[in-house]
Amino acid sequence: MAGTIVRADEEKLGDSNRLRSPNFKSEETFHIRGRPIPPKANLDLMKQWMQFCGSEHHECRTPTLTVSKTQSIRLIDVQEHKIILTSSAKDYVALSYVWGPTTAPLLTRETLSQYSATNGLKDAIIPRTISDAMGLVRDLGTRYLWVDSLCIVQDDDDDKKQQLPMMGSIYNCAELLILAATGSDAHAGLYSTQNTKRREPQPIEEVDGIPFTTAQPPAQETLMWTTWNRRGWTFQEAILSRRVLIFTDGQVY
Ligand SMILES: [Zn+2]
């Protein structure tokens, strides 16, 4: 798709859906309507994608794995800025990202009680990718986020023994996965699309009143060269998730 000229009309959700069809053939790309990628991530469009998926995709609605009812998981409550421990089913979003060498463990036996109190996370030094994800969960109108470094007690072997085997189910049961493929550590943030230096130029030309632009590379191609894609554990996080918003240096997919 890179370098393909597309009509820069408003993207229709039906057309974007056709891109993912298993019957998709390369010659069809000529007929696809694209859209210019705005300098800032488009929250309304992400909400539209979520609504479209919720109403049109039966296969995305039901998890194939379950989190054991006898075991509890921790979630970040982004409204009350704290960590909760819950065994009841809650709609939550999960984050897949790369810690990087300089990211310190966040939830430890020492910080557990502080972070579990209301507003306990407000003064915590949280890496930008995680704090951006917390903000996005709020902006999408949801409340709970699962992030490994804040939902597993990192210096507690018993907690790890209980939580780590559940990670496949935790990703599969999440209503949405935020996949942070930007940068090479947890400090990169989700929104490097706002840094124009890291973006492919996207000229728009009008011919006979019809705007044309270049299509940005497809998600698979962009992901291939990211640090995120070089980590083994991210494979299960992406493959077991039912809905994924992919944040790359160029755009959100
Ligand atoms: Zn879907």
Side-chain angles (χ1 to χ4, degrees):
M1 280 289 286
T4 307
I5 307 287
V6 293
R7 280 181 66 159
D9 302 57
E10 273 294 291
E11 182 192 44
K12 291 195 174 65
L13 286 164
D15 286 345
S16 72
N17 187 41
R18 200 165 59 135
L19 271 172
R20 292 193 300 272
S21 156
N23 301 322
F24 166 68
K25 294 188 182 71
S26 61
E27 58 263 35
E28 284 184 65
T29 57
F30 191 73
H31 304 288
I32 289 167
R33 286 180 186 224
R35 64 185 162 90
I37 308 300
K40 286 193 173 186
N42 186 338
L43 184 68
D44 288 338
L45 185 59
M46 286 187 250
K47 284 181 178 173
Q48 274 180 47
W49 288 340
M50 290 291 291
Q51 280 163 6
F52 185 80
C53 180
S55 62
E56 302 296 324
H57 298 163
H58 294 278
E59 69 277 16
C60 300
R61 279 183 214 154
T62 317
T64 47
L65 304 173
T66 48
V67 175
S68 165
K69 287 197 171 70
T70 55
Q71 287 180 312
S72 302
I73 62 167
R74 286 185 202 84
L75 295 169
I76 302 167
D77 180 338
V78 300
Q79 281 180 17
E80 296 200 358
H81 302 275
K82 66 176 183 180
I83 311 277
I84 61 156
L85 184 69
T86 178
S87 58
S88 62
K90 283 188 162 50
D91 284 354
Y92 65 92
V93 177
L95 176 68
S96 177
Y97 67 113
V98 176
W99 282 38
T102 59
T103 309
L106 295 169
L107 190 68
T108 59
R109 281 180 287 195
E110 197 187 333
T111 56
L112 181 60
S113 61
Q114 181 200 335
Y115 292 172
S116 302
T118 302
N119 292 324
L121 287 170
K122 269 204 164 157
D123 296 325
I125 299 167
I126 294 175
R128 214 176 111 205
T129 300
I130 300 173
S131 60
D132 281 353
M134 289 165 68
L136 179 63
V137 166
R138 244 187 325 267
D139 291 343
L140 288 173
T142 46
R143 182 166 180 174
Y144 301 103
L145 174 68
W146 188 91
V147 180
D148 53 3
S149 59
L150 276 168
C151 297
I152 298 174
V153 184
Q154 300 294 325
D155 59 354
D156 184 336
D157 287 342
D158 288 338
D159 197 59
K160 280 184 170 176
K161 244 182 245 168
Q162 197 187 56
Q163 297 290 318
L164 293 179
M166 292 200 290
M167 280 181 66
S169 302
I170 288 171
Y171 279 98
N172 186 244
C173 291
E175 287 296 312
L176 170 72
L177 177 72
I178 296 172
L179 194 167
T182 42
S184 53
D185 59 39
H187 303 284
L190 288 181
Y191 302 106
S192 63
T193 45
Q194 288 165 36
N195 179 350
T196 48
K197 272 190 240 161
R198 290 163 80 171
R199 244 187 90 169
E200 303 252 346
Q202 194 182 29
I204 300 174
E205 295 293 337
E206 210 169 288
V207 180
D208 288 340
I210 301 170
F212 289 92
T213 189
T214 51
Q216 297 289 293
Q220 291 90 334
E221 191 181 310
T222 309
L223 274 181
M224 201 182 293
W225 306 106
T226 60
T227 306
W228 178 90
N229 195 43
R230 290 187 205 115
R231 298 294 183 270
W233 67 85
T234 55
F235 180 72
Q236 83 155 5
E237 295 172 2
I239 212 154
L240 291 173
S241 297
R242 294 175 289 133
R243 302 185 178 101
V244 189
L245 279 178
I246 305 171
F247 289 77
T248 70
D249 287 340
Q251 73 174 95
V252 182
Y253 297 87

